[in-house]
Amino acid sequence: MNNNDQDGYDETLYKFAEYRETNVRQPVEHYTIHNCMLKQFLDKDGLLTGKRVLDLACGHGYYTRELKALGCSYILGIDESPTMIALARDSKWHCSEDIEYMVADVKSLPPLQSSFDLITAFYLFDYAQTSDELLSMVRFIYAQLGESKTFIGVIGNVTGGKDMFNNRKYGITRETKLPFDGDLLPDSTEIIVTMYDTQDMPMCSFSNYHYSPTTYEQVFKEVGFKTFQWVPYQCDPNDPNGTFFEDLIHNAPSIGIIATK
């Protein structure tokens, strides 16, 4: 992919992310992350006061800003896309005050100077093309976490089988280049993800890579994490359009991970 193609892809992905923020993200993804994953690590005031946070694969900084709003003392967002980081830094689109951003590839990033109290990575592992790349990502996260500190992540739902591949109702589909039997995909299987706009027209397609739940659990254990937990997607019970998301929850396209060093 040349630079012009990459810029066009990043800008399209940004537009889709903005669409998700008012569609799937708020009642489902946002609710799951904040209420089912992050909440247990907040202080009595519901904040991250005094915490150092690292947000990997931060994209245009949506969750970086969400985490900063919870009062952490320092937050760094890292993404390998210069276009996404430029959008994150652009005050025309976002308030990026007191947030530091960096363009870097986690797989080849040397250790940072100081450890973190919390590391997040939303859809980072989906881009590991080999098990060695997945291992290097998890090793970097482990090295940057303080002792007994926590990692929170979201990936494509590797526990969901074929049923989670078609979520076009919610603007996303997945397919493999080669057919497969049953629900078991080999590790490193390439999955083509296609995103659709509000008129159900394709916006962009890109590749993710599948690893089994067992592989994820083994990699985190090998690196040294003491605990590992899957967190299924949930919908905000108070959302007035909750029935619209029933199919999404039943065949969730994504799943959360919580791991403690």
Side-chain angles (χ1 to χ4, degrees), residues 123 126-128 156 174 189-193 206-210:
Y123 304 105
D126 301 271
Y127 293 94
R174 290 176 168 87
T189 294
E190 183 177 4
I191 297 174
I192 308 303
V193 182
F206 54 91
S207 294
N208 279 175
Y209 298 86
H210 172 90

Side-chain angles (χ1 to χ4, degrees), residues 204-215:
C204 64
S205 295
F206 54 91
S207 294
N208 279 175
Y209 298 86
H210 172 90
Y211 299 91
S212 72
T214 299
T215 295

Side-chain angles (χ1 to χ4, degrees), residues 58-247:
C58 69
H60 68 295
Y62 176 85
Y63 281 116
T64 320
R65 297 186 298 277
E66 291 277 309
L67 292 162
K68 181 57 186 177
L70 292 173
C72 56
S73 61
Y74 173 76
I75 185 162
L76 170 63
I78 296 179
D79 198 280
E80 68 175 353
S81 165
T83 302
M84 285 296 189
I85 293 299
L87 286 166
R89 288 172 173 160
D90 192 342
S91 60
K92 179 177 68 175
W93 296 99
H94 314 294
C95 176
S96 57
E97 185 178 357
D98 298 325
I99 300 175
E100 185 175 353
Y101 290 105
M102 177 190 299
V103 178
D105 183 346
V106 174
K107 299 187 296 296
S108 57
L109 187 63
L112 304 174
Q113 291 184 347
S114 301
S115 62
F116 292 85
D117 301 297
L118 174 69
I119 296 180
T120 60
F122 304 117
Y123 304 105
L124 168 67
F125 300 144
D126 301 271
Y127 293 94
Q129 297 187 32
T130 67
S131 56
D132 285 343
E133 287 188 358
L134 178 62
L135 183 62
S136 69
M137 291 175 177
V138 178
R139 277 179 173 159
F140 175 81
I141 290 168
Y142 184 85
Q144 292 301 146
L145 270 177
E147 193 62 34
S148 301
K149 302 303 181 181
T150 301
F151 164 76
I152 291 176
V154 170
I155 62 172
N157 186 5
V158 298
T159 71
K162 281 184 177 179
D163 290 340
M164 54 77 69
F165 270 50
N166 187 4
N167 279 288
R168 189 156 179 170
K169 175 180 177 181
Y170 306 101
I172 185 170
T173 60
R174 290 176 168 87
E175 60 181 344
T176 56
K177 290 185 174 180
L178 299 174
F180 64 96
D181 295 326
D183 285 331
L184 297 178
L185 281 174
D187 281 355
S188 302
T189 294
E190 183 177 4
I191 297 174
I192 308 303
V193 182
T194 301
M195 296 179 170
Y196 301 83
D197 63 17
T198 52
Q199 283 73 48
D200 197 36
M201 296 299 293
M203 297 178 67
C204 64
S205 295
F206 54 91
S207 294
N208 279 175
Y209 298 86
H210 172 90
Y211 299 91
S212 72
T214 299
T215 295
Y216 272 102
E217 292 164 14
Q218 289 176 343
V219 165
F220 272 78
K221 183 177 181 180
E222 176 182 342
V223 167
F225 279 91
K226 298 172 185 174
T227 67
F228 182 97
Q229 175 188 352
W230 294 109
V231 183
Y233 261 22
Q234 296 185 35
C235 182
D236 183 350
N238 297 316
D239 188 271
N241 298 316
T243 55
F244 173 75
F245 297 105
E246 288 178 355
D247 290 339

